[in-house]
Amino acid sequence: MTDSSVLDLAPVVPVVVVEDVADAVPLARALVAGGLRAIEVTLRTPAALDAIRAIADEVPDAVVGAGTVISPRNVADSVAAGARFLVSPGWTDTLLDAMKKSGVPFLPGVSTTSEVVALLERGVSEMKFFPAQAAGGVPYLKSLAGPLPQARFCPTGGVSLSSAPSYLALKNVGCVGGSWMLPADAVAAKDWARIETLAREAAGLK
């Protein structure tokens, strides 16, 4: 990844749950063809690490990362599988140290002002805001921009095609994370063309 910031790769980072590793490569190719290069594969299924490995090996234009990273073991396993960035739903000192030592960009999760300040204190200014809608959404992030202008966010959790532009309009938001371009029925039907179309629509958001 030539740019060390996950936030600047694309306006939308697809949050992918892979149940069947055979779906990983065609799904990633569809997302990339639609203009979404950064792909977050969540560590929520047994297939996740193999999916990251397959995408890293077979889809060179993708920038694949690992999501739901919650332990140093997750960090090590994800990087070994080929993850080029890491995303966590929250953070602890132990997890943050592991992510810092990983050598790849990372977005630790926050949902409160105190967590943001604590990360800034540790030299981290790029974060995931999660769960975005439940934690206050656009009004909350907008209110943080005044006192904490150095913090930049990727809001994830409840973000949709209709709400994404409101987030992206905020000066402290670099991108959003979401899964609306990956409807379960399309994945089940292996309708990669539909996913590519939805990805292209998401990539066009500003």
Side-chain angles (χ1 to χ4, degrees):
M1 183 160 51
T2 55
D3 194 323
S4 62
S5 173
V6 181
L7 299 182
D8 297 325
L9 285 170
V12 178
V13 176
V15 179
V16 181
V17 179
V18 178
E19 300 286 353
D20 183 351
V21 70
D23 291 339
V25 168
L27 189 154
R29 285 177 175 155
L31 292 172
V32 171
L36 300 180
R37 293 178 56 229
I39 301 170
E40 175 188 334
V41 177
T42 65
L43 302 182
R44 299 181 194 175
T45 68
L49 289 172
D50 285 337
I52 290 170
R53 191 172 291 108
I55 295 169
D57 289 345
E58 300 181 46
V59 192
D61 290 336
V63 180
V64 64
T68 322
V69 174
I70 58 172
S71 69
R73 176 65 181 271
N74 286 164
V75 171
D77 288 348
S78 298
V79 173
R84 294 167 67 185
F85 64 91
L86 305 169
V87 184
S88 70
W91 66 276
T92 64
D93 288 330
T94 299
L95 179 58
L96 188 66
D97 287 344
M99 290 194 292
K100 280 187 169 185
K101 292 174 183 175
S102 71
V104 300
F106 58 91
L107 294 175
V110 297
S111 60
T112 69
T113 307
S114 293
E115 291 170 328
V116 176
V117 172
L119 282 178
L120 291 173
E121 192 176 81
R122 289 161 174 77
V124 178
S125 61
E126 297 189 343
M127 313 165 194
K128 170 179 176 173
F129 180 59
F130 176 83
Q133 288 293 98
V138 170
Y140 192 95
L141 283 176
K142 189 174 184 179
S143 70
L144 291 182
L148 302 170
Q150 63 273 56
R152 295 179 72 216
F153 302 94
C154 173
T156 306
V159 180
S160 65
L161 178 64
S162 59
S163 66
S166 297
Y167 283 104
L168 293 169
L170 299 177
K171 59 186 177 181
N172 59 348
V173 169
C175 64
V176 299
S179 56
W180 72 84
M181 73 297 299
L182 297 160
D185 60 337
V187 175
K190 304 187 188 303
D191 189 350
W192 312 126
R194 181 180 170 202
I195 288 171
E196 180 180 337
T197 297
L198 293 170
R200 185 169 290 109
E201 184 179 33
L205 294 174
K206 302 296 182 187

